[in-house]
Structure formats: structure tokens, C-alpha cells
Amino acid sequence: MTEASARFHRSVAEALADPHLRQALDRTTGRLAGGLAKAFATIPDAGALRDTARRIRAHTIAHLDQHLDQFERAATARGCHVHWAPTAADATRLVVDIARARGVSLAVKSKSMVTEEIELNAALGAAGVRVVESDLGEFVVQLADDRPSHIIAPIVHMSRDDVARLFEDKLGARPDEVADIPAITAFARRTLRQEFLQAGMGISGVNLAVADTGSLCLVTNEGNGRLTTTLPRVHVAVMGLERIVPTAADLGVVLQLLARSATGQALSVYTNIITGPRRPATSDGPGEPDGPDELHIVVVDNGRSRLLGGELAEILYCVRCGACLNICPVYHHIGGHAYGGVYPGPVGSVVSPGLMGLDEWSELPHASSLCGACRDVCPVRIDLPRLLLNLRAQTVAARMGPAWLRIAMPLYAAIATRPVLYRWLGSLAARLSRMMGHDGWLDRLPGPLSAWTTERDFPVPAPRSFVQEHHAHAPRAGGCE
Amino acid sequence: MSAAARAQIFDSIRRGLVRAVLPDAAGSRPTPEGRSSPPSASADALEAFTRALTALTGRVHRAAAVDMVPDLVAAIAHEHGARGFLAWDESHLGVPGLFAALASRGLERVDYDLPFDAASREAHALALAGVGVGLTGADAAIADAGAIVLAHGPGRGRLASLLPPAHIAVLSARQIWPTMPDLLAARPGLLDAGSNLVAIAGPSRTADIEMTLTHGVHGPKYLHVIVVP
Amino acid sequence: MTRPTRVQLFVTCLVDRFYPSVGHAVVAVLERQGLDVSVPMDQTCCGQPAFNGGFTDDARRMARHTVDVLSASPDPVVVPSGSCADMIVHRYPELLADDAAYAARARDLAARTFEFTQFLVDVLHVSPAAEPDGPRLAYHASCHGLRGLGLVEQPRQLLRAVAGDRCTDLPGAGICCGFGGLFAVKLAGISAAMLASKIEAIAESGADAVVATDVSCLMHIGGGLHRRGSRVRPLHVAEILAGTRHD
């Protein structure tokens, strides 16, 4: 087993043994999944809308170069600076350079997966820029020096007491200032409001960009996304190069599904659509009284275009709602951290190996029972099980995974395509295991299969197979009732 | 570096597109359908909007006539203990003489224009942070989401709906659309009317801690929509 | 399709080796419908363990074998497993799409392959008679049948007809039990945690038996129940139906 595989199995075991995490996941994932079902029940043509959204995303990705080109021209025409970053390092260097050139020492940030992916905070920190996460959950994660456990709910793994203690330790809060959740929230508002007012730069991700107007759409519930993109004089938006839709009408369709899928809301509290920096005064009239004077858009590739050139390209349709996490029974039991990457859950099990290669991420595609709940819930109907199966085939082709299986599976296939041998070996195995079983059950299986019997028994095979009995005209059992 | 980086990315995308497996990408571009005509001022739409926003703890006030708006605004502002207010220019609120009427009720508009210079910008913003209420118009509303839609631009600042603890928006009953896709399909130009279009569905909220809903974490804790005929 | 007179039974490797009584129950139910049931002798495994494990070439070999075995006759194929039926219906045509000798036969086989309850309800329009007494049943909706084949109503309709109010859905009926083939061995801890949730739901239901369309799930759930000393029995839907009259 490789070091990366061992690490994954260790973190899974730790997650499974954590009763607190269990409780938090029970509380959140079930509620989010339930909210989704209710929210979809309120749109009469949800199925058709999902089909349309899927076709919009599919068509956009299939013409990605044209849409990006159009987006760049439209955004530039409205005063944006568009930057292109082939790698994570390029992206962070671009942002650091912008910060340096403007003398920025404090930046506020609105939650964004892609900035986690490129590890922007660390790069800015090293360049002497303090970065404050402004989403409440991300702010807590940052204070705790932790990682977000969920795309939508970053601190599902923490209790209110955990947060209160953290605010006391790190921010000097008095116990009465963090006595309950509203107090904790108000304390965070006061603390973060100061940071917003002082920050020289606001950093955000981009949920969706609109090609024909060069617009950026950011959805948040707290309003931190709006403050981040309004108060500081420089706004830097970092976007994965696939987060694009052609027009405002296309954006409308995706928005009708996005918040419903993420949190069960019809729309997030703030659907914030930004088209260029603040518009200056002209001879016709005054300019806008607020908003950033500079807007930089950093378009990040970091493996996406390579992903596009293969069988996993469908994952680029993803709109990052997190619905596949909330519905996933595996996620429900291990939470986000165990997945190891920035993107957890079924989508992460495709995106992490897809963007960063299978060497470090070969276990993730196998961490699924292939139940298909993720495919059913996806607002753009991404066939996640198909993508996981494709990655599994890649791990086998690369001779990754357990050695015993690489021997056992071809052997099994060889036997299963030789019916006489198959029947004979089946009978032999049945006889052997009947000698080891009690009352029709085995409580211990040999070798790698012993993992089955750690927590469940295994039935002893029947003395004669059904096919053999049937062809021998054995007495037919009429059922058991 | 930038031109080379751009070329590198576009080359890589174009090479990828040759081999990409993209289910359901074939065929012509899908055209999202929305209602192409403006929505009617139906009582149903207003009912649905009111129901949805109220469920989000937003409050809907119906003004029988435009000249009732000053009293409503003043009452709400006083409820929140506000003396000053941030606002869009009067011409964008659809209520003639509103600011004078509010001034006579003890409410003064705090005007602003954020400067670019870092130090004075901070001082300026700091001064705005204490204002108790924000007053804006609304360009549209979304019935199924209980959302109001604000196109920010010249004379229509963003901070009025963002910085104070309470936000009051004046909405015309004729501008209620059934859904977001309906609005954006019919009025795509809204995106480009200014630098910022925002749909606001209720007061600022978070459920990050233990999935417990809490309001006013960053944006306004209270949202009032005054619907005028 | 028109009502057939003959069917082939692809019984699945797990029924064949571990639960022959389920196979006999399926035959009994089908014969009671006046069908001539044949059981091709050389059938083995559909290849799903290999396919789901990423062993595509091995899966393809097993798929070709199964196509050969089930193409000796043009009769419809009945499979008492949503998972294995889904493999034949949806995966075989993909797996063998580029195989000149097999692509068309795989598509043909896919078109005449049915999961057991799907065949009873959609093709034979069976409505089993009510059985006034019997155990309280809780239904678990197996994943691949539910989401791959869309088996939402068929199994429930049959069980409701037989057991009426004695049959309910398990709480979270459509949530995976954690079997997932090799998943149960490769990530046994996660699988066992999923199983534990399923068993909690079974206990909560108060049922005497848990019913499903797939013995793979039942083997997994049954193994967990047995380890815990539970008296709740796992039953295949065919075993319920075989105990009743069918008109």
C-alpha cells in the first residue's frame, strides 16, 4: 500500500471513530438533503429544468474556448483586468503581485473552493499580506487552523462550544459575548466588520461567470460576498476556467437549481452579479458612489484543460452545489476531512484525482458503494458513478490497488467463463466452508476477505447450487412462509 | 507572461476539446425559456412573493398609495432607532419629495462617495458603518424566492442595502416576476445596467454553527419591502 | 411486449450458490403464471464484481460469456436482482459496444432482460392475492434496481398486494446498505458503518423481516443482523410471492 493510500485509510478510520463528527453529520447532511427534496417539489418542471441546465453546461464546456474568449473581451470592455493562470503557482503569483503593487497588507476573502485549491492564503501570508476569511464558517476554520469539512457547511464538525472557546482563546471574547449562537454571530459580525473597513483588497471566488456580459455571479447567505466585493478598493476574483455560462438567461436557469440543490433555498439570500468595477463619472453624469475601483479576474486552469481532454470531462459541468455530498451515504459516515482534498464527497472523488492525478488520490474512486444517489440528485445530472468507474479502471490499468485483487479478479473471470470448472470449484468451496461454518454462518473469512467478517457474518454456501438442483429436478422449495 | 499563459491555456483547451467525452453536448445551444412579456400585477404574484419573503423573516408592507411611503419609512426607521439613513438618489425611489418628507420626520440622508485613497476610504466607510437604516428602490422581485432585485449604478449605491442593520426597499407591485429564470430571460440588460445586480432573499443569514439559523451576520438583520401600487 | 410463454432464468451467482431457495421461489412464481422456465446450465456470474472493481477486460470476458449463454434462446431473461439486471441492461451494451461480434447481441439481450418484479408487473401484469396473516415486512429499495432500472413501484405494488398494511418502507428505504461488492471488503469500515445505520432503521421499523429485490443486499444486511443476534429475517421478494396464490 502506498503512503497516500495508508493515509487515506487512517483518516477514514479516525473519522469513523469520532462520535462528535457522527453527530454533526447526522444533523447536517440529512437536513440539507431533506431541504433539497422540499425545494425541488416547489418547481413544477424540475426535471425539464435540470435537462436544460445540463445541456447549457454541456454545450458551454464543448465550446469553452469561445466562451472564455467572449468573456474576456466583455469583461475587459467593462474595465476588468483578466489574468490567465495555467497553474496554481501562476495564480497565486498573480494575486500576490496585484497585492504588492497596491501596497495591500490586509485582504478580506469570501469563501471560495478554488482559492483553497491553489492555497492562496499561504502564498499571500508568505508575501506579508494578512488574509481574513469572512464567511463565518471559514473564519472559524481559519482561526482554528483547520480545514473546511463541507463545501456548504465548513464547520459541521464543530459544536457551538468549540466555536465559543475558540473565540475566547483567539479573539479575547468574554464568556458573555459568546454565550449562545446569536451572541457568537454578533461577535463575529463586529470583529469582521472592522476587517472589511480596513482591508485594501477583497478576494472572492466565482460561482458562475456570464460570457456575453463579462459578469461574475457570487452567491452567499451572509452578505460577506457583497462586502468583500464592495468595500475594498481592489477586488480580485479567482475562477476555475469552467465556471461559465453563455448568457444571463442561462445563468437564470442554473440559479433556479443551484441554491435549491445546495441548501434547499429557492435562491441564496444574496445572488450578487458583478459586471466590471465601479463605473466612474462621465460627461453624462455622476459615477457610482461605491464598489471597487479595480476588478481583477484570475482565470485558473490548474489541470482543468487536461481533464477536459478525457473521459472525465463531464465533471466540468459541475456547479459546485454540494448536493452529492449531502446525499452520499459514504460522506454521511466519514465527513469531508477524510477525503483529504479540497473537494470532498463524490464530486471530490472525481475532481481530486482528475485535477491532481491518481498517484496521490487512487483510493478515492473506490470509496463509493456506487449506489447512484449522487447521480440522481445532481442538478446537472452528472453521471458520477460512471466517472468513478472510469477512474477505477484507470487505477487497475496503472496496477494500483491491492495486489491480491489483481491476481484474484482475472482468475475469477477465467473461472467464471469456464462453466464446468466454475461449478466444480463452487462445490468444492461450498464443502470447505461448510466444514468451517456453524449453523450456516461463517464468523471469520480468510485473507483479505476477513475485512467482511470484522463486523458481519458471512453465509455458508448451499451444498448444491440452484442450477445443479434445478437440473437434477430436486424438490422445489415453495418459499419460506 | 500573460499572453503566453493565455495562449497555453487556450491551446490546452482546444487540444482537450478534440478528445473530450462530453455527453449531451451535441446539437444546438439550448435556449432557456422565460416569459417574454412583463409580468402582470396579479394579486397571486404579490401573494406568493409576500408568503415567500415572510417565511424568510422579511417583512412586506403594502402602501395603498405612493404618498403613504414617507410615513411607513419613518415608522420603520424609528422602530430600528435610526436617525440617519443611507439611500439611493431620490429620483430612483419613485416617491417624489421623499427625502424632504423624511427630514421633517427627523430622518437625514447620509450621502457618500467612497474615495479611492486607502486611508480616506477607510475613514469614510467607518463613518457610514453607524447609520441605522438603508433605503433603496427595487427593480424587480422574484415571487417563488421572496427576493427583491436591485440594479446598482450611478445614484444607486450598494451600501444602502448592505451596511446598515435594517434595509427598506420600495417595490412596485407591477415588477414581480414568477422566477429568476423568467426575469433574466426577459431582462438580460439588467446585468449591465451598472456594476452590480443583486437579488436579496430575506435578511442576511448563516447556519454555519450547528445548522442553527441566525440573522444579520454580515448584511442587514432586518429587511422591509414596501410594495407600492 | 406481448405476453411470452417461455422465459430464461438468469439466477445470479449469489442466488445460485448461497440462496438456491430464492431461485426455486422465482421458478415457482413464474410457473404459476403458466410460463415455461428454462435455466441455462452454463450461466455463471454477470461480471459485475470485475466491472465495479475497474477490471474492465475481465468484466468484458464475463459479459461475453453471459451473452453467449443467454443468446442460445431468444426468450426473455428474468433476473431476480436489480443490480445484475442493470448490469446486463445498461452496462453490457457499453462494455461490448466496440466488439463487432457481440455489440448487437448485447443490445438484443439488454432489450429482453428484466428484473423479476419488473417482469411480473410491467410484462405479466400480475396482481397477487392478499395474504391476511404473516410477518410484518419492511422494504429496502436496492440501489441499482431503484436508480438504475427505476424500480420504484413494482416491488412495492407486489408486496402491498400480498401483505397490505403488514408491509411498510424501511425508514430511509432507498439509502444504500453499504454492500457495494468489493467496497464491503476494500473499505470495510465505511461499509460496516452504513450497514449499522441500515440495521438501526430495521430495528426502528419493528418489522419481522426485511425484504428486498436483491440477495446481495440481503446477504450483507443478513450478515449484520446475524452478528447482532437479531431475529429479523432477510427475505427476497420472490420468497414472499411464492407463498401466495396468483391470479
Side-chain angles (χ1 to χ4, degrees):
Chain A
M1 192 181 279
T2 65
E3 176 50 34
S5 296
R7 203 164 49 235
F8 174 70
H9 284 276
R10 249 192 333 266
S11 57
V12 166
E14 279 165 22
L16 288 171
D18 182 347
H20 193 169
L21 175 67
R22 204 53 247 289
Q23 195 192 356
L25 287 165
D26 278 348
R27 193 162 45 212
T28 52
T29 57
R31 195 188 299 186
L32 286 167
L36 182 153
K38 256 186 244 157
F40 270 88
T42 64
I43 34 180
D45 49 354
L49 203 66
R50 284 161 70 168
D51 290 337
T52 306
R54 175 174 174 80
R55 286 177 52 230
I56 289 168
R57 291 295 292 148
H59 196 273
T60 307
I61 299 299
H63 301 84
L64 188 58
D65 53 339
Q66 296 164 31
H67 292 301
L68 281 173
D69 185 63
Q70 187 189 18
F71 171 74
E72 181 186 33
R73 276 185 282 118
T76 307
R78 286 159 184 83
C80 300
H81 305 274
V82 180
H83 310 268
W84 300 90
T87 66
D90 293 327
T92 55
R93 193 168 48 243
L94 280 161
V95 181
V96 166
D97 286 350
I98 296 164
R100 281 214 178 108
R102 307 300 179 284
V104 172
S105 58
L106 170 64
V108 282
K109 195 155 153 268
S110 174
K111 175 163 76 181
S112 138
M113 303 302 291
V114 68
T115 55
E116 292 284 327
E117 176 192 323
I118 64 173
E119 299 181 355
L120 181 58
N121 291 10
L124 283 167
V129 180
R130 189 165 70 88
V131 182
V132 176
E133 292 286 352
S134 61
D135 172 272
L136 177 59
E138 300 285 332
F139 176 61
V140 170
V141 164
Q142 190 184 32
L143 275 183
D145 204 14
D146 205 345
R147 277 176 303 141
S149 59
H150 189 293
I151 292 181
I152 302 301
I155 50 168
V156 299
H157 60 295
M158 293 176 82
S159 71
R160 73 182 76 182
D161 295 336
D162 294 338
V163 179
R165 269 196 302 278
L166 187 70
F167 280 18
E168 288 171 16
D169 293 349
K170 297 283 174 86
L171 301 173
R174 295 190 316 271
D176 63 295
E177 289 180 306
V178 288
D180 55 18
I181 292 174
I184 293 171
T185 306
F187 186 84
R189 175 182 171 110
R190 289 195 299 278
T191 306
L192 283 165
R193 190 52 76 85
Q194 284 310 309
E195 308 281 19
F196 276 119
L197 293 172
Q198 288 165 12
M201 178 188 272
I203 301 170
S204 76
V206 174
N207 288 88
L208 293 158
V210 182
D212 73 348
T213 55
S215 304
L216 308 172
C217 178
L218 276 84
V219 298
T220 67
N221 279 319
E222 300 183 355
N224 60 315
R226 291 188 64 202
L227 287 167
T228 301
T229 59
T230 298
L231 282 175
R233 58 194 189 133
V234 179
H235 171 204
V236 177
V238 185
M239 65 178 264
L241 56 72
E242 82 286 11
R243 333 244 88 242
I244 203 155
V245 290
T247 67
D250 297 316
L251 176 68
V253 172
V254 179
L255 287 175
Q256 185 71 345
L257 300 170
L258 182 61
R260 284 182 168 84
S261 301
T263 53
Q265 295 166 277
L267 284 176
S268 297
V269 174
Y270 299 109
T271 302
N272 189 26
I273 304 173
I274 295 159
T275 308
R278 158 191 194 174
R279 301 199 175 170
T282 64
S283 52
D284 295 338
E288 298 182 3
D290 49 24
D293 294 85
E294 285 182 26
L295 173 47
H296 297 265
I297 303 169
V298 179
V299 186
V300 179
D301 184 338
N302 202 33
R304 288 166 174 77
S305 62
R306 194 185 57 229
L307 216 164
L308 178 62
E311 296 190 43
L312 304 176
E314 187 183 352
I315 200 66
L316 295 173
Y317 301 179
C318 174
V319 296
R320 301 282 190 273
C321 66
C324 62
L325 280 62
N326 300 322
I327 203 77
C328 177
V330 171
Y331 181 88
H332 183 89
H333 283 93
I334 64 174
H337 288 167
Y339 288 84
V342 174
Y343 303 100
V347 58
S349 295
V350 177
V351 168
S352 295
L355 291 183
M356 291 169 275
L358 270 169
D359 286 346
E360 292 285 313
W361 305 96
S362 66
E363 293 292 331
L364 288 185
H366 298 273
S368 163
S369 65
L370 298 177
C371 78
C374 49
R375 177 186 50 210
D376 268 18
V377 83
C378 176
V380 292
R381 301 193 194 278
I382 295 173
D383 191 348
L384 284 152
R386 178 182 74 81
L387 303 178
L388 293 171
L389 281 163
N390 184 280
L391 280 161
R392 289 182 181 189
Q394 290 185 37
T395 63
V396 169
R399 304 186 55 74
M400 292 166 163
W404 66 270
L405 201 54
R406 292 204 303 271
I407 297 164
M409 196 54 85
L411 193 64
Y412 177 61
I415 295 166
T417 46
R418 291 169 176 78
V420 176
L421 180 65
Y422 176 86
R423 287 195 290 273
W424 184 79
L425 283 174
S427 299
L428 181 68
R431 223 166 323 165
L432 287 174
S433 49
R434 292 183 79 76
M435 291 192 301
M436 299 189 300
H438 331 270
D439 303 332
W441 292 93
L442 294 160
D443 57 12
R444 223 148 109 207
L445 287 173
L449 299 178
S450 63
W452 176 286
T453 42
T454 51
E455 298 191 47
R456 61 222 124 174
D457 294 330
F458 194 81
V460 165
R464 282 212 300 176
S465 79
F466 165 77
V467 173
Q468 287 162 326
E469 282 184 1
H470 183 85
H471 284 274
H473 297 285
R476 306 213 174 144
C480 45
E481 290 317 310
Chain B
M1 130 100 201
S2 187
R6 185 187 189 282
Q8 183 184 339
I9 289 176
F10 274 77
D11 281 356
S12 182
I13 290 172
R14 287 176 183 135
R15 274 199 312 275
L17 284 173
V18 177
R19 296 187 306 267
V21 177
L22 294 169
D24 296 323
S28 61
R29 214 179 99 194
T31 43
E33 284 171 27
R35 273 151 254 240
S36 52
S37 57
S40 62
S42 79
D44 284 355
L46 179 56
E47 274 307 316
F49 168 75
T50 303
R51 209 167 37 243
L53 181 55
T54 307
L56 298 168
T57 77
R59 278 166 60 190
V60 178
H61 311 260
R62 293 185 196 179
V66 168
D67 58 13
M68 293 176 61
V69 171
D71 277 335
L72 274 169
V73 171
I76 296 165
H78 289 138
E79 181 189 325
H80 294 291
R83 283 188 302 275
F85 62 94
L86 300 181
W88 286 6
D89 287 355
E90 200 176 61
S91 57
H92 297 292
L93 297 174
V95 185
L98 178 59
F99 289 173
L102 290 175
S104 73
R105 289 164 177 81
L107 290 162
E108 288 297 333
R109 182 189 185 199
V110 180
D111 204 4
Y112 71 95
D113 189 356
L114 287 188
F116 180 67
D117 168 67
S120 54
R121 186 179 180 103
E122 185 187 329
H124 210 95
L126 207 57
L128 303 180
V131 178
V133 85
L135 178 60
T136 71
D139 297 88
I142 307 295
D144 76 338
I148 50 172
V149 179
L150 279 60
H152 298 110
R156 305 156 68 99
R158 307 178 191 185
L159 292 180
S161 63
L162 182 57
L163 226 39
H167 171 208
I168 305 167
V170 182
L171 167 74
S172 159
R174 280 170 317 203
Q175 283 304 331
I176 301 174
W177 298 69
T179 69
M180 192 72 167
D182 290 325
L183 174 69
L184 290 185
R187 294 184 60 193
L190 275 175
L191 262 63
D192 212 6
S195 70
N196 181 234
L197 181 77
V198 66
I200 301 174
S204 157
R205 71 179 200 173
T206 181
D208 276 349
I209 302 173
E210 296 185 4
M211 299 294 277
T212 304
L213 198 58
T214 315
H215 291 104
V217 55
H218 283 298
K221 188 170 186 172
Y222 307 97
L223 174 63
H224 298 267
V225 177
I226 298 175
V227 182
V228 295
Chain C
M1 73 185 281
T2 53
R3 191 185 168 94
T5 55
R6 289 194 313 264
V7 291
Q8 307 184 79
L9 175 59
F10 183 74
V11 79
T12 78
C13 58
L14 290 181
V15 168
D16 186 39
R17 265 295 151 200
F18 292 92
Y19 303 98
S21 63
V22 171
H24 295 305
V26 170
V27 172
V29 171
L30 293 173
E31 285 183 344
R32 225 175 300 170
Q33 291 299 317
L35 294 174
D36 183 359
V37 182
S38 69
V39 179
M41 183 76 182
D42 285 348
Q43 59 179 288
T44 58
C45 166
C46 68
Q48 194 173 187
F51 181 74
N52 286 355
F55 294 82
T56 316
D57 290 339
D58 296 321
R60 208 170 272 135
R61 262 193 284 167
M62 292 156 85
R64 280 195 290 260
H65 173 77
T66 302
V67 170
D68 283 337
V69 168
L70 297 175
S71 298
S73 148
D75 294 335
V77 175
V78 173
V79 187
S81 156
S83 192
C84 307
D86 183 54
M87 179 77 189
I88 295 173
V89 170
H90 290 129
R91 304 303 185 187
Y92 277 17
E94 288 169 21
L95 265 178
L96 301 173
D98 297 328
D99 186 326
Y102 280 87
R105 293 164 70 205
R107 284 197 303 273
D108 168 70
L109 174 61
R112 60 188 165 86
T113 296
F114 302 87
E115 185 276 336
F116 175 63
T117 63
Q118 184 184 38
F119 188 72
L120 292 182
V121 172
D122 296 349
V123 179
L124 300 183
H125 307 293
V126 168
S127 45
E131 195 79 0
D133 297 312
R136 281 166 303 158
L137 310 175
Y139 176 66
H140 163 72
S142 299
C143 297
H144 293 167
L146 175 65
R147 302 190 186 89
L149 299 173
L151 299 181
V152 179
E153 275 310 310
Q154 297 92 328
R156 288 180 170 98
Q157 192 179 315
L158 294 169
L159 288 170
R160 264 200 312 269
V162 175
D165 293 343
R166 285 189 289 110
C167 182
T168 54
D169 268 16
L170 269 181
I175 297 173
C176 179
C177 74
F179 174 63
L182 284 168
F183 171 75
V185 175
K186 282 196 289 195
L187 287 149
I190 304 174
S191 167
M194 290 162 68
L195 176 60
S197 294
K198 184 58 70 176
I199 286 175
E200 275 169 37
I202 292 169
E204 198 184 312
S205 76
D208 304 306
V210 53
V211 188
T213 54
D214 285 54
V215 297
S216 49
C217 316
L218 292 170
M219 181 171 88
H220 189 233
I221 293 168
L225 289 169
H226 188 260
R227 175 63 61 93
R228 288 162 176 77
S230 167
R231 302 170 69 91
V232 178
R233 284 161 305 149
L235 287 175
H236 191 274
V237 64
E239 296 178 286
I240 305 290
L241 298 175
T244 66
R245 288 182 304 108
H246 300 263
D247 303 312

